[in-house]
Amino acid sequence: MTAHIAPTETADAVPHPAPRVDSEVGPLRTVLLHRPGAELKRLTPRNNDQLLFDGVPWVDRAQEEHDAFAEVLRVRGVEVLLLSDVLVAALHDDRARIAGLHSAVDERRLGIDLADALRSHLASLPPDQLATVLTTGMTFEELPAAEGASLVRKMHHPNDFAVNPLPNLLFTRDSSVWVGDRVAITSLALPARDRETALTDLIYAYHPRFRRTRRAYGAHSAPLEGGDVLLLAPGVLAIGVGERTTPAGAESFARSALADGLAHTVLAVPITQERATMHLDTVCTMVDRDAVVMYPAVRDSLEAYAVRADGSGGVTVADRKPFLEAAADAMGIERLRVIDTGLDPVTAEREQWDDGNNTLAVGPGLVVAYERNVETNARLEDAGVEVLRISGSELGSGRGGPRCMSCPIERAPLA
């Protein structure tokens, strides 16, 4: 293996505030994004469904749209960390390299000999090239020249993946969640995404900036995805339970958050198990201290179980209540203001499908949203919420909006 010198604490010379996120709408200070790269060029009409995209995106345009999204945040004073950059920095640590190789090389699928050859090849790569393989994947045709016979190599098509690409890395929200001063590495439900948490985990373990980060719920636990987790207020979490997050995942995370003192109330919110409503943040996001934008079709039917510590190391689970009522009670406010998606049922359904509810709060009453959701954005502005519009014609092909594409790492406290 080529020797790589691990970065020292001085490698990250500029001091940074400790990561902390206590709400959905506190002024955003630092965020983790992933600029779409060559992994999207792996998508074809033959594999895009398996890789969870509804179409084959125009990658150059997707990159332009993402660059514009990042610039909107920077203009508002947000520090933007790009996943590819922090991954390369982390991979200077040999322990991170070992973790990356372990996640990428599937011995059960490749066989012992081919797996050993691939592992040896990847171990020889410098950090930037290794990061590219870990995110973009590698086909059998791209494997290094064989030193011996391999039935596995012969029986695969040259364009089959020996290392699967990770096109859904674009949605950095899902693989980690910051609650207070701790990061929860999640457990992604679908096979197309199961390596994402391994990369996120090694970044938080070995990047100099995050070395002292404390952990909450870990990726070994039951399925839980970050798009299902809303920090309604300091001490109040909502967790959607549906296509991607299981009841066991919600319960495990709730127990972890309550035991660590990160929350006093966790609301488990059942949602329809459909592609259009894969996460809680596809039907509801916070846009102000006391306001949400919500898909009107679920406004009256969405319910929640309130989970709280019982004082002796266990939890209590209350009976179902309407979500809006349970949320207001937990937040200590009279009611949550609700801004509906669209003006009529057809428009609401169209704009919900186009991520009209999936906004990213940059601060109280200030959100980033896709420009195509004209009616929802107008209703937000009528309610006093400033909307920073971005284009998402290609970014949206993976079914995700500004919130899905961002993992807040630091938010200022609400005044």
Side-chain angles (χ1 to χ4, degrees), residues 29-49:
R29 295 290 179 255
T30 303
V31 68
L32 179 67
L33 307 182
H34 177 59
R35 184 178 190 265
E39 67 277 359
L40 291 191
K41 295 183 179 180
R42 301 290 201 183
L43 294 167
T44 69
R46 180 172 55 90
N47 67 23
N48 67 288
D49 285 344

Side-chain angles (χ1 to χ4, degrees), residues 315-401:
V315 299
T316 63
V317 182
D319 292 336
R320 283 194 189 208
K321 290 176 64 174
F323 168 71
L324 293 172
E325 178 185 335
D329 287 348
M331 296 167 69
I333 60 177
E334 183 176 345
R335 67 181 181 89
L336 262 177
R337 292 188 292 132
V338 179
I339 302 160
D340 289 340
T341 313
L343 293 169
D344 58 77
V346 173
T347 301
E349 186 176 359
R350 285 173 55 87
E351 299 206 358
Q352 188 275 330
W353 177 255
D354 283 337
D355 304 299
N357 299 289
N358 194 260
T359 62
L360 170 66
V362 180
L366 175 64
V367 301
V368 182
Y370 281 149
E371 63 184 0
R372 65 189 178 212
N373 295 306
V374 175
E375 299 295 346
T376 301
N377 293 340
R379 291 176 73 80
L380 286 166
E381 291 179 330
D382 288 345
V385 177
E386 183 180 354
V387 179
L388 305 174
R389 291 166 172 80
I390 63 169
S391 176
S393 62
E394 298 303 314
L395 291 175
S397 61
R399 299 258 56 84

Side-chain angles (χ1 to χ4, degrees), residues 37 66 82 98 111 137 208 211 227 337 339 384 392:
H66 195 273
L82 295 178
I98 292 169
R211 280 203 184 128
R337 292 188 292 132
I339 302 160

Side-chain angles (χ1 to χ4, degrees), residues 223-224 228-229 238-251 267-273 277-280 302-303 305:
L224 172 92
D228 278 318
V229 180
I239 305 175
V241 180
E243 186 193 49
R244 303 293 181 85
T245 296
T246 65
E251 180 175 346
L267 303 177
V269 185
I271 56 177
T272 306
Q273 297 189 36
T277 56
M278 72 182 84
H279 291 134
L280 181 58
L302 210 60
E303 297 182 311
Y305 297 92

Side-chain angles (χ1 to χ4, degrees), residues 14 137 254 258 271 364:
V14 179
L258 294 168
I271 56 177

